[in-house]
Amino acid sequence: MTATAIRVQGIEKSYKDLHVLRGVDFEVASGSIFALLGSNGAGKTTMVKILSSLLKADAGTAAVEGFDVATESLQVRQSISLTGQFAAVDEVLSGKENLVLMAKLRHLENPGGIADELLAQFNLSDAGSRKVATYSGGMRRRLDIAMSLIGNPKVIFLDEPTTGLDPQARIDVWQTIKDLARNGTTVLLTTQYLDEAEHLADRIAILHKGRIIQNGTLDALKRLLPPAEIEYVEKQPSLEDVFLALVGETAEEQKEQEASR
């Protein structure tokens, strides 16, 4: 049996007369990628804030790694990490200094060694000594995720992780997220991008007007609609295909460019 990392039952949340969450239920298996898919205002960020013990629900229960988010918030915070919609990095510091600072705040031994390992893991070693103000958007997001992994949290919440990134940077972040799950980290990500959920998630829950209206694997969700009968299909490249074909670079070329900026 697969262990459950996150369990949500009947969660409700309102702001005065605005009902944001209306009885949300779902479970996330350990070591999986779970996408909470919904449009702006659907309640995705509110759900993440409740799960990370930053916000109290009006009703219902939620547990992360077996700890109740309402009554065992300290244990929950020790088990998780949260990355918001915008990279929370200090632009005045270098990439390595950001990581060292976070390691010191968590009272970990050998913060410099931890920083070097994460810089290598996220292909940022060459830029580690540079100020974050010189980083591209994709580099900042990778550094932000690297910072969230300090202390080896079992669960990581990624709230709109690719907001504002260009297509190449999005793909880089997608690969980072896949690597996290491959190494055993449970990932819950919120997104409004259909292709993001399609590329990454083991399971997808669609949150609409404060309720989960569907929850399942990509194949199961696709079976909700009948297949279209088309005699001849000529697959046209997407705009993303064209963009990456024209300006795409190898990982090594991109690394060299980032290091020279």
Side-chain angles (χ1 to χ4, degrees):
M1 294 179 64
T2 302
T4 299
I6 302 170
R7 179 175 285 111
V8 175
Q9 296 176 311
I11 288 292
E12 299 180 12
K13 183 63 182 179
S14 298
Y15 298 99
K16 295 184 178 180
D17 295 330
L18 178 62
H19 301 292
V20 180
L21 299 175
R22 302 167 177 263
V24 174
D25 301 274
F26 63 83
E27 293 185 0
V28 180
S30 295
S32 68
I33 301 175
F34 185 92
L36 197 57
L37 179 64
S39 58
N40 285 332
K44 306 186 299 298
T45 297
T46 297
M47 189 69 249
V48 168
K49 286 182 177 179
I50 290 172
L51 287 173
S52 54
S53 76
L54 298 176
L55 188 66
K56 288 187 177 181
D58 297 332
T61 61
V64 178
E65 287 295 313
F67 300 113
D68 187 282
V69 300
T71 61
E72 299 172 297
S73 60
L74 177 60
Q75 293 92 328
V76 168
R77 294 184 185 189
Q78 290 174 338
S79 303
I80 69 168
S81 189
L82 169 63
T83 298
Q85 295 182 20
F86 304 99
V89 294
D90 191 322
E91 295 187 349
V92 176
L93 301 178
S94 69
K96 182 172 181 176
E97 287 170 340
N98 269 277
L99 293 166
V100 167
L101 175 61
M102 184 60 66
K104 288 182 176 179
L105 288 173
R106 288 185 175 269
H107 306 291
L108 300 178
E109 296 182 1
N110 190 21
I114 292 171
D116 288 336
E117 288 181 8
L118 286 169
L119 288 170
Q121 179 181 341
F122 286 85
N123 296 320
L124 291 169
S125 294
D126 292 342
S129 60
R130 284 169 38 200
K131 288 188 177 182
V132 173
T134 68
Y135 283 17
S136 66
M139 293 170 70
R140 292 184 190 207
R141 178 53 84 183
R142 295 206 308 273
L143 178 63
D144 193 29
I145 296 175
M147 290 174 64
S148 71
L149 292 181
I150 291 176
N152 298 314
K154 295 181 179 179
V155 178
I156 181 169
F157 298 114
L158 301 176
D159 192 14
E160 303 279 2
T162 61
T163 296
L165 298 186
D166 62 61
Q168 184 65 55
R170 289 182 72 207
I171 290 174
D172 291 341
V173 172
W174 287 355
Q175 187 58 53
T176 297
I177 294 170
K178 289 179 181 178
D179 291 342
L180 290 177
R182 192 176 297 113
N183 292 326
T185 303
T186 303
V187 179
L188 186 150
L189 68 94
T190 72
T191 183
Q192 57 183 311
Y193 301 126
L194 303 179
D195 59 338
E196 188 155 274
E198 188 169 355
H199 275 83
L200 294 176
D202 299 302
R203 291 187 69 87
I204 301 167
I206 300 175
L207 184 62
H208 182 63
K209 294 183 178 179
R211 301 182 190 276
I212 300 291
I213 58 174
Q214 286 294 339
N215 182 354
T217 64
L218 177 61
D219 287 341
L221 293 178
K222 285 183 174 181
R223 287 197 297 269
L224 295 173
L225 297 179
E229 295 183 6
I230 302 175
E231 293 183 3
Y232 175 76
V233 176
E234 180 179 344
K235 185 180 183 299
Q236 295 293 326
S238 66
L239 180 58
E240 184 167 304
D241 292 333
V242 174
F243 181 93
L244 293 176
L246 293 175
V247 305
E249 304 141 349
T250 66
E252 191 62 33
E253 288 172 337
Q254 186 185 12
K255 204 169 152 189
E256 291 175 2
Q257 276 199 357
E258 291 175 343
S260 65
R261 287 175 193 159

mmCIF file of all heavy atoms in Angstrom, residues 46-94:
data_model
loop_
_atom_site.group_PDB
_atom_site.id
_atom_site.type_symbol
_atom_site.label_atom_id
_atom_site.label_comp_id
_atom_site.label_asym_id
_atom_site.label_seq_id
_atom_site.Cartn_x
_atom_site.Cartn_y
_atom_site.Cartn_z
ATOM 1 N N THR A 46 -5.278 29.523 -1.210
ATOM 2 C CA THR A 46 -5.884 29.392 0.117
ATOM 3 C C THR A 46 -5.706 27.980 0.643
ATOM 4 O O THR A 46 -5.388 27.773 1.824
ATOM 5 C CB THR A 46 -7.385 29.748 0.049
ATOM 6 O OG1 THR A 46 -7.525 31.112 -0.339
ATOM 7 C CG2 THR A 46 -8.054 29.541 1.399
ATOM 8 N N MET A 47 -5.874 26.981 -0.218
ATOM 9 C CA MET A 47 -5.704 25.592 0.197
ATOM 10 C C MET A 47 -4.272 25.324 0.627
ATOM 11 O O MET A 47 -4.015 24.663 1.638
ATOM 12 C CB MET A 47 -6.095 24.669 -0.965
ATOM 13 C CG MET A 47 -6.172 23.183 -0.606
ATOM 14 S SD MET A 47 -7.559 22.802 0.486
ATOM 15 C CE MET A 47 -6.683 22.397 2.009
ATOM 16 N N VAL A 48 -3.319 25.848 -0.120
ATOM 17 C CA VAL A 48 -1.909 25.663 0.227
ATOM 18 C C VAL A 48 -1.591 26.334 1.564
ATOM 19 O O VAL A 48 -0.862 25.784 2.400
ATOM 20 C CB VAL A 48 -0.997 26.207 -0.891
ATOM 21 C CG1 VAL A 48 0.451 26.294 -0.419
ATOM 22 C CG2 VAL A 48 -1.085 25.329 -2.131
ATOM 23 N N LYS A 49 -2.121 27.523 1.791
ATOM 24 C CA LYS A 49 -1.873 28.226 3.055
ATOM 25 C C LYS A 49 -2.432 27.437 4.238
ATOM 26 O O LYS A 49 -1.822 27.385 5.312
ATOM 27 C CB LYS A 49 -2.493 29.624 3.013
ATOM 28 C CG LYS A 49 -1.734 30.608 2.135
ATOM 29 C CD LYS A 49 -2.381 31.986 2.184
ATOM 30 C CE LYS A 49 -1.578 32.989 1.360
ATOM 31 N NZ LYS A 49 -2.218 34.338 1.381
ATOM 32 N N ILE A 50 -3.568 26.801 4.055
ATOM 33 C CA ILE A 50 -4.142 25.981 5.125
ATOM 34 C C ILE A 50 -3.260 24.759 5.380
ATOM 35 O O ILE A 50 -2.952 24.424 6.531
ATOM 36 C CB ILE A 50 -5.580 25.552 4.765
ATOM 37 C CG1 ILE A 50 -6.514 26.764 4.811
ATOM 38 C CG2 ILE A 50 -6.078 24.459 5.713
ATOM 39 C CD1 ILE A 50 -7.917 26.503 4.284
ATOM 40 N N LEU A 51 -2.816 24.102 4.315
ATOM 41 C CA LEU A 51 -1.979 22.907 4.470
ATOM 42 C C LEU A 51 -0.629 23.224 5.094
ATOM 43 O O LEU A 51 -0.049 22.380 5.780
ATOM 44 C CB LEU A 51 -1.784 22.229 3.117
ATOM 45 C CG LEU A 51 -2.995 21.491 2.553
ATOM 46 C CD1 LEU A 51 -2.723 21.017 1.137
ATOM 47 C CD2 LEU A 51 -3.359 20.312 3.448
ATOM 48 N N SER A 52 -0.131 24.423 4.868
ATOM 49 C CA SER A 52 1.164 24.800 5.437
ATOM 50 C C SER A 52 1.018 25.485 6.793
ATOM 51 O O SER A 52 1.974 26.049 7.314
ATOM 52 C CB SER A 52 1.928 25.697 4.457
ATOM 53 O OG SER A 52 1.155 26.801 4.066
ATOM 54 N N SER A 53 -0.176 25.461 7.357
ATOM 55 C CA SER A 53 -0.508 25.988 8.689
ATOM 56 C C SER A 53 -0.382 27.507 8.786
ATOM 57 O O SER A 53 -0.270 28.054 9.879
ATOM 58 C CB SER A 53 0.340 25.319 9.789
ATOM 59 O OG SER A 53 1.647 25.814 9.820
ATOM 60 N N LEU A 54 -0.441 28.190 7.651
ATOM 61 C CA LEU A 54 -0.398 29.651 7.650
ATOM 62 C C LEU A 54 -1.785 30.266 7.776
ATOM 63 O O LEU A 54 -1.914 31.469 8.021
ATOM 64 C CB LEU A 54 0.266 30.158 6.371
ATOM 65 C CG LEU A 54 1.722 29.753 6.154
ATOM 66 C CD1 LEU A 54 2.207 30.249 4.797
ATOM 67 C CD2 LEU A 54 2.596 30.287 7.270
ATOM 68 N N LEU A 55 -2.801 29.440 7.611
ATOM 69 C CA LEU A 55 -4.185 29.918 7.622
ATOM 70 C C LEU A 55 -5.054 28.827 8.231
ATOM 71 O O LEU A 55 -4.857 27.639 7.947
ATOM 72 C CB LEU A 55 -4.630 30.225 6.188
ATOM 73 C CG LEU A 55 -5.971 30.914 5.972
ATOM 74 C CD1 LEU A 55 -5.944 32.329 6.543
ATOM 75 C CD2 LEU A 55 -6.287 30.968 4.471
ATOM 76 N N LYS A 56 -6.001 29.222 9.056
ATOM 77 C CA LYS A 56 -6.890 28.253 9.692
ATOM 78 C C LYS A 56 -8.155 28.068 8.869
ATOM 79 O O LYS A 56 -8.761 29.043 8.407
ATOM 80 C CB LYS A 56 -7.255 28.707 11.108
ATOM 81 C CG LYS A 56 -6.104 28.592 12.099
ATOM 82 C CD LYS A 56 -6.561 28.881 13.519
ATOM 83 C CE LYS A 56 -5.417 28.688 14.508
ATOM 84 N NZ LYS A 56 -5.859 28.938 15.910
ATOM 85 N N ALA A 57 -8.538 26.821 8.698
ATOM 86 C CA ALA A 57 -9.781 26.512 7.998
ATOM 87 C C ALA A 57 -10.966 26.786 8.914
ATOM 88 O O ALA A 57 -10.856 26.736 10.141
ATOM 89 C CB ALA A 57 -9.779 25.050 7.545
ATOM 90 N N ASP A 58 -12.113 27.065 8.302
ATOM 91 C CA ASP A 58 -13.341 27.273 9.081
ATOM 92 C C ASP A 58 -13.958 25.942 9.491
ATOM 93 O O ASP A 58 -14.627 25.848 10.525
ATOM 94 C CB ASP A 58 -14.357 28.073 8.262
ATOM 95 C CG ASP A 58 -13.856 29.460 7.919
ATOM 96 O OD1 ASP A 58 -13.045 30.007 8.676
ATOM 97 O OD2 ASP A 58 -14.277 30.001 6.868
ATOM 98 N N ALA A 59 -13.744 24.913 8.678
ATOM 99 C CA ALA A 59 -14.308 23.587 8.958
ATOM 100 C C ALA A 59 -13.480 22.547 8.229
ATOM 101 O O ALA A 59 -12.748 22.851 7.291
ATOM 102 C CB ALA A 59 -15.767 23.515 8.507
ATOM 103 N N GLY A 60 -13.607 21.303 8.663
ATOM 104 C CA GLY A 60 -12.880 20.211 8.033
ATOM 105 C C GLY A 60 -11.540 19.954 8.700
ATOM 106 O O GLY A 60 -11.144 20.659 9.640
ATOM 107 N N THR A 61 -10.845 18.927 8.223
ATOM 108 C CA THR A 61 -9.552 18.562 8.778
ATOM 109 C C THR A 61 -8.544 18.353 7.650
ATOM 110 O O THR A 61 -8.911 18.028 6.516
ATOM 111 C CB THR A 61 -9.630 17.264 9.602
ATOM 112 O OG1 THR A 61 -10.061 16.189 8.759
ATOM 113 C CG2 THR A 61 -10.582 17.424 10.773
ATOM 114 N N ALA A 62 -7.287 18.537 7.987
ATOM 115 C CA ALA A 62 -6.205 18.298 7.028
ATOM 116 C C ALA A 62 -4.985 17.822 7.798
ATOM 117 O O ALA A 62 -4.714 18.285 8.910
ATOM 118 C CB ALA A 62 -5.877 19.561 6.236
ATOM 119 N N ALA A 63 -4.260 16.875 7.205
ATOM 120 C CA ALA A 63 -3.058 16.338 7.828
ATOM 121 C C ALA A 63 -1.955 16.235 6.794
ATOM 122 O O ALA A 63 -2.197 15.897 5.633
ATOM 123 C CB ALA A 63 -3.340 14.969 8.443
ATOM 124 N N VAL A 64 -0.737 16.542 7.224
ATOM 125 C CA VAL A 64 0.452 16.422 6.383
ATOM 126 C C VAL A 64 1.448 15.525 7.106
ATOM 127 O O VAL A 64 1.806 15.807 8.261
ATOM 128 C CB VAL A 64 1.085 17.795 6.096
ATOM 129 C CG1 VAL A 64 2.353 17.633 5.266
ATOM 130 C CG2 VAL A 64 0.096 18.700 5.381
ATOM 131 N N GLU A 65 1.857 14.451 6.456
ATOM 132 C CA GLU A 65 2.757 13.468 7.065
ATOM 133 C C GLU A 65 2.203 12.982 8.408
ATOM 134 O O GLU A 65 2.951 12.722 9.349
ATOM 135 C CB GLU A 65 4.154 14.057 7.245
ATOM 136 C CG GLU A 65 4.929 14.209 5.956
ATOM 137 C CD GLU A 65 5.246 12.862 5.297
ATOM 138 O OE1 GLU A 65 5.702 11.947 6.003
ATOM 139 O OE2 GLU A 65 5.008 12.744 4.074
ATOM 140 N N GLY A 66 0.874 12.872 8.490
ATOM 141 C CA GLY A 66 0.227 12.368 9.689
ATOM 142 C C GLY A 66 -0.010 13.401 10.771
ATOM 143 O O GLY A 66 -0.619 13.082 11.805
ATOM 144 N N PHE A 67 0.441 14.635 10.566
ATOM 145 C CA PHE A 67 0.271 15.686 11.566
ATOM 146 C C PHE A 67 -0.898 16.594 11.198
ATOM 147 O O PHE A 67 -0.995 17.054 10.056
ATOM 148 C CB PHE A 67 1.549 16.525 11.687
ATOM 149 C CG PHE A 67 2.761 15.739 12.099
ATOM 150 C CD1 PHE A 67 3.809 15.554 11.216
ATOM 151 C CD2 PHE A 67 2.853 15.184 13.362
ATOM 152 C CE1 PHE A 67 4.935 14.830 11.577
ATOM 153 C CE2 PHE A 67 3.969 14.451 13.748
ATOM 154 C CZ PHE A 67 5.017 14.269 12.851
ATOM 155 N N ASP A 68 -1.749 16.859 12.161
ATOM 156 C CA ASP A 68 -2.900 17.728 11.944
ATOM 157 C C ASP A 68 -2.429 19.171 11.791
ATOM 158 O O ASP A 68 -1.695 19.689 12.639
ATOM 159 C CB ASP A 68 -3.869 17.615 13.124
ATOM 160 C CG ASP A 68 -5.164 18.364 12.882
ATOM 161 O OD1 ASP A 68 -5.159 19.604 13.029
ATOM 162 O OD2 ASP A 68 -6.168 17.718 12.537
ATOM 163 N N VAL A 69 -2.853 19.834 10.722
ATOM 164 C CA VAL A 69 -2.354 21.186 10.449
ATOM 165 C C VAL A 69 -2.865 22.205 11.461
ATOM 166 O O VAL A 69 -2.238 23.257 11.648
ATOM 167 C CB VAL A 69 -2.715 21.645 9.014
ATOM 168 C CG1 VAL A 69 -2.104 20.713 7.980
ATOM 169 C CG2 VAL A 69 -4.225 21.724 8.825
ATOM 170 N N ALA A 70 -3.960 21.903 12.117
ATOM 171 C CA ALA A 70 -4.526 22.850 13.076
ATOM 172 C C ALA A 70 -3.927 22.689 14.471
ATOM 173 O O ALA A 70 -3.648 23.677 15.155
ATOM 174 C CB ALA A 70 -6.044 22.695 13.139
ATOM 175 N N THR A 71 -3.698 21.443 14.893
ATOM 176 C CA THR A 71 -3.261 21.196 16.269
ATOM 177 C C THR A 71 -1.785 20.819 16.387
ATOM 178 O O THR A 71 -1.237 20.807 17.491
ATOM 179 C CB THR A 71 -4.105 20.075 16.895
ATOM 180 O OG1 THR A 71 -3.922 18.864 16.143
ATOM 181 C CG2 THR A 71 -5.580 20.450 16.898
ATOM 182 N N GLU A 72 -1.146 20.477 15.262
ATOM 183 C CA GLU A 72 0.264 20.083 15.289
ATOM 184 C C GLU A 72 1.046 20.878 14.240
ATOM 185 O O GLU A 72 1.803 20.332 13.452
ATOM 186 C CB GLU A 72 0.403 18.579 15.031
ATOM 187 C CG GLU A 72 -0.302 17.716 16.075
ATOM 188 C CD GLU A 72 -0.317 16.247 15.719
ATOM 189 O OE1 GLU A 72 -0.920 15.906 14.691
ATOM 190 O OE2 GLU A 72 0.275 15.441 16.463
ATOM 191 N N SER A 73 0.842 22.184 14.275
ATOM 192 C CA SER A 73 1.421 23.046 13.236
ATOM 193 C C SER A 73 2.944 23.024 13.240
ATOM 194 O O SER A 73 3.586 23.121 12.192
ATOM 195 C CB SER A 73 0.910 24.478 13.391
ATOM 196 O OG SER A 73 1.258 24.995 14.666
ATOM 197 N N LEU A 74 3.566 22.906 14.422
ATOM 198 C CA LEU A 74 5.025 22.885 14.491
ATOM 199 C C LEU A 74 5.583 21.667 13.739
ATOM 200 O O LEU A 74 6.525 21.789 12.952
ATOM 201 C CB LEU A 74 5.490 22.861 15.944
ATOM 202 C CG LEU A 74 7.015 22.770 16.149
ATOM 203 C CD1 LEU A 74 7.713 23.962 15.498
ATOM 204 C CD2 LEU A 74 7.351 22.685 17.643
ATOM 205 N N GLN A 75 4.984 20.500 13.985
ATOM 206 C CA GLN A 75 5.444 19.287 13.305
ATOM 207 C C GLN A 75 5.191 19.369 11.804
ATOM 208 O O GLN A 75 5.994 18.876 11.011
ATOM 209 C CB GLN A 75 4.745 18.054 13.888
ATOM 210 C CG GLN A 75 5.135 17.746 15.319
ATOM 211 C CD GLN A 75 4.215 18.400 16.346
ATOM 212 O OE1 GLN A 75 3.697 19.493 16.099
ATOM 213 N NE2 GLN A 75 4.009 17.734 17.467
ATOM 214 N N VAL A 76 4.076 19.995 11.424
ATOM 215 C CA VAL A 76 3.780 20.174 10.007
ATOM 216 C C VAL A 76 4.856 21.028 9.354
ATOM 217 O O VAL A 76 5.406 20.674 8.299
ATOM 218 C CB VAL A 76 2.393 20.815 9.802
ATOM 219 C CG1 VAL A 76 2.213 21.270 8.354
ATOM 220 C CG2 VAL A 76 1.290 19.836 10.188
ATOM 221 N N ARG A 77 5.201 22.145 9.978
ATOM 222 C CA ARG A 77 6.192 23.059 9.396
ATOM 223 C C ARG A 77 7.581 22.424 9.327
ATOM 224 O O ARG A 77 8.371 22.775 8.452
ATOM 225 C CB ARG A 77 6.230 24.358 10.195
ATOM 226 C CG ARG A 77 4.933 25.147 10.085
ATOM 227 C CD ARG A 77 5.008 26.473 10.795
ATOM 228 N NE ARG A 77 3.715 27.153 10.764
ATOM 229 C CZ ARG A 77 3.509 28.408 11.149
ATOM 230 N NH1 ARG A 77 4.533 29.129 11.581
ATOM 231 N NH2 ARG A 77 2.314 28.942 11.097
ATOM 232 N N GLN A 78 7.854 21.497 10.229
ATOM 233 C CA GLN A 78 9.140 20.800 10.186
ATOM 234 C C GLN A 78 9.179 19.769 9.058
ATOM 235 O O GLN A 78 10.260 19.337 8.660
ATOM 236 C CB GLN A 78 9.403 20.112 11.531
ATOM 237 C CG GLN A 78 9.687 21.087 12.669
ATOM 238 C CD GLN A 78 9.793 20.405 14.015
ATOM 239 O OE1 GLN A 78 9.275 19.297 14.221
ATOM 240 N NE2 GLN A 78 10.463 21.057 14.961
ATOM 241 N N SER A 79 8.013 19.391 8.549
ATOM 242 C CA SER A 79 7.933 18.352 7.517
ATOM 243 C C SER A 79 7.823 18.907 6.107
ATOM 244 O O SER A 79 7.950 18.154 5.144
ATOM 245 C CB SER A 79 6.703 17.455 7.784
ATOM 246 O OG SER A 79 6.745 16.870 9.063
ATOM 247 N N ILE A 80 7.587 20.213 5.982
ATOM 248 C CA ILE A 80 7.256 20.779 4.672
ATOM 249 C C ILE A 80 8.184 21.921 4.286
ATOM 250 O O ILE A 80 8.966 22.417 5.098
ATOM 251 C CB ILE A 80 5.810 21.319 4.641
ATOM 252 C CG1 ILE A 80 5.690 22.569 5.546
ATOM 253 C CG2 ILE A 80 4.817 20.245 5.051
ATOM 254 C CD1 ILE A 80 4.406 23.343 5.374
ATOM 255 N N SER A 81 8.030 22.316 3.038
ATOM 256 C CA SER A 81 8.614 23.571 2.570
ATOM 257 C C SER A 81 7.627 24.174 1.585
ATOM 258 O O SER A 81 6.877 23.449 0.913
ATOM 259 C CB SER A 81 9.964 23.338 1.904
ATOM 260 O OG SER A 81 10.596 24.582 1.652
ATOM 261 N N LEU A 82 7.619 25.493 1.515
ATOM 262 C CA LEU A 82 6.649 26.208 0.682
ATOM 263 C C LEU A 82 7.368 27.195 -0.219
ATOM 264 O O LEU A 82 8.175 28.004 0.247
ATOM 265 C CB LEU A 82 5.644 26.945 1.569
ATOM 266 C CG LEU A 82 4.700 27.955 0.891
ATOM 267 C CD1 LEU A 82 3.798 27.246 -0.113
ATOM 268 C CD2 LEU A 82 3.862 28.690 1.933
ATOM 269 N N THR A 83 7.078 27.103 -1.511
ATOM 270 C CA THR A 83 7.600 28.066 -2.479
ATOM 271 C C THR A 83 6.418 28.797 -3.096
ATOM 272 O O THR A 83 5.548 28.173 -3.697
ATOM 273 C CB THR A 83 8.412 27.361 -3.582
ATOM 274 O OG1 THR A 83 9.533 26.709 -2.974
ATOM 275 C CG2 THR A 83 8.911 28.348 -4.609
ATOM 276 N N GLY A 84 6.397 30.113 -2.943
ATOM 277 C CA GLY A 84 5.267 30.908 -3.411
ATOM 278 C C GLY A 84 5.326 31.210 -4.889
ATOM 279 O O GLY A 84 6.182 30.703 -5.635
ATOM 280 N N GLN A 85 4.424 32.066 -5.340
ATOM 281 C CA GLN A 85 4.310 32.373 -6.762
ATOM 282 C C GLN A 85 5.499 33.158 -7.278
ATOM 283 O O GLN A 85 5.794 33.114 -8.469
ATOM 284 C CB GLN A 85 3.013 33.148 -7.023
ATOM 285 C CG GLN A 85 1.757 32.343 -6.744
ATOM 286 C CD GLN A 85 0.491 33.118 -7.065
ATOM 287 O OE1 GLN A 85 0.520 34.081 -7.818
ATOM 288 N NE2 GLN A 85 -0.625 32.706 -6.494
ATOM 289 N N PHE A 86 6.185 33.870 -6.408
ATOM 290 C CA PHE A 86 7.327 34.678 -6.828
ATOM 291 C C PHE A 86 8.541 34.292 -5.992
ATOM 292 O O PHE A 86 8.434 34.065 -4.785
ATOM 293 C CB PHE A 86 7.015 36.167 -6.685
ATOM 294 C CG PHE A 86 5.790 36.586 -7.445
ATOM 295 C CD1 PHE A 86 4.570 36.737 -6.790
ATOM 296 C CD2 PHE A 86 5.848 36.783 -8.814
ATOM 297 C CE1 PHE A 86 3.429 37.104 -7.495
ATOM 298 C CE2 PHE A 86 4.707 37.153 -9.524
ATOM 299 C CZ PHE A 86 3.503 37.312 -8.867
ATOM 300 N N ALA A 87 9.688 34.204 -6.646
ATOM 301 C CA ALA A 87 10.903 33.729 -5.992
ATOM 302 C C ALA A 87 11.249 34.585 -4.780
ATOM 303 O O ALA A 87 11.446 35.790 -4.901
ATOM 304 C CB ALA A 87 12.059 33.715 -6.985
ATOM 305 N N ALA A 88 11.352 33.956 -3.619
ATOM 306 C CA ALA A 88 11.657 34.670 -2.377
ATOM 307 C C ALA A 88 13.146 34.588 -2.096
ATOM 308 O O ALA A 88 13.593 33.913 -1.170
ATOM 309 C CB ALA A 88 10.854 34.078 -1.226
ATOM 310 N N VAL A 89 13.917 35.261 -2.923
ATOM 311 C CA VAL A 89 15.372 35.260 -2.770
ATOM 312 C C VAL A 89 15.854 36.692 -2.564
ATOM 313 O O VAL A 89 15.206 37.641 -2.994
ATOM 314 C CB VAL A 89 16.062 34.633 -4.001
ATOM 315 C CG1 VAL A 89 15.729 33.153 -4.103
ATOM 316 C CG2 VAL A 89 15.649 35.352 -5.285
ATOM 317 N N ASP A 90 16.999 36.823 -1.894
ATOM 318 C CA ASP A 90 17.576 38.142 -1.629
ATOM 319 C C ASP A 90 18.478 38.518 -2.792
ATOM 320 O O ASP A 90 19.520 37.889 -3.022
ATOM 321 C CB ASP A 90 18.369 38.102 -0.319
ATOM 322 C CG ASP A 90 18.763 39.497 0.159
ATOM 323 O OD1 ASP A 90 19.099 40.344 -0.702
ATOM 324 O OD2 ASP A 90 18.742 39.740 1.378
ATOM 325 N N GLU A 91 18.102 39.562 -3.531
ATOM 326 C CA GLU A 91 18.847 39.948 -4.722
ATOM 327 C C GLU A 91 20.218 40.541 -4.404
ATOM 328 O O GLU A 91 21.107 40.536 -5.263
ATOM 329 C CB GLU A 91 18.034 40.950 -5.547
ATOM 330 C CG GLU A 91 16.759 40.366 -6.120
ATOM 331 C CD GLU A 91 16.080 41.330 -7.067
ATOM 332 O OE1 GLU A 91 16.492 42.502 -7.112
ATOM 333 O OE2 GLU A 91 15.143 40.904 -7.769
ATOM 334 N N VAL A 92 20.400 41.053 -3.195
ATOM 335 C CA VAL A 92 21.677 41.657 -2.828
ATOM 336 C C VAL A 92 22.739 40.580 -2.587
ATOM 337 O O VAL A 92 23.923 40.795 -2.832
ATOM 338 C CB VAL A 92 21.512 42.541 -1.573
ATOM 339 C CG1 VAL A 92 22.855 43.098 -1.123
ATOM 340 C CG2 VAL A 92 20.537 43.674 -1.868
ATOM 341 N N LEU A 93 22.308 39.425 -2.127
ATOM 342 C CA LEU A 93 23.222 38.325 -1.844
ATOM 343 C C LEU A 93 23.496 37.507 -3.098
ATOM 344 O O LEU A 93 22.745 37.567 -4.077
ATOM 345 C CB LEU A 93 22.638 37.415 -0.763
ATOM 346 C CG LEU A 93 22.309 38.048 0.593
ATOM 347 C CD1 LEU A 93 21.700 37.013 1.508
ATOM 348 C CD2 LEU A 93 23.543 38.669 1.215
ATOM 349 N N SER A 94 24.551 36.734 -3.053
ATOM 350 C CA SER A 94 24.825 35.798 -4.143
ATOM 351 C C SER A 94 23.945 34.564 -3.981
ATOM 352 O O SER A 94 23.293 34.376 -2.937
ATOM 353 C CB SER A 94 26.295 35.379 -4.118
ATOM 354 O OG SER A 94 26.568 34.575 -2.981
#
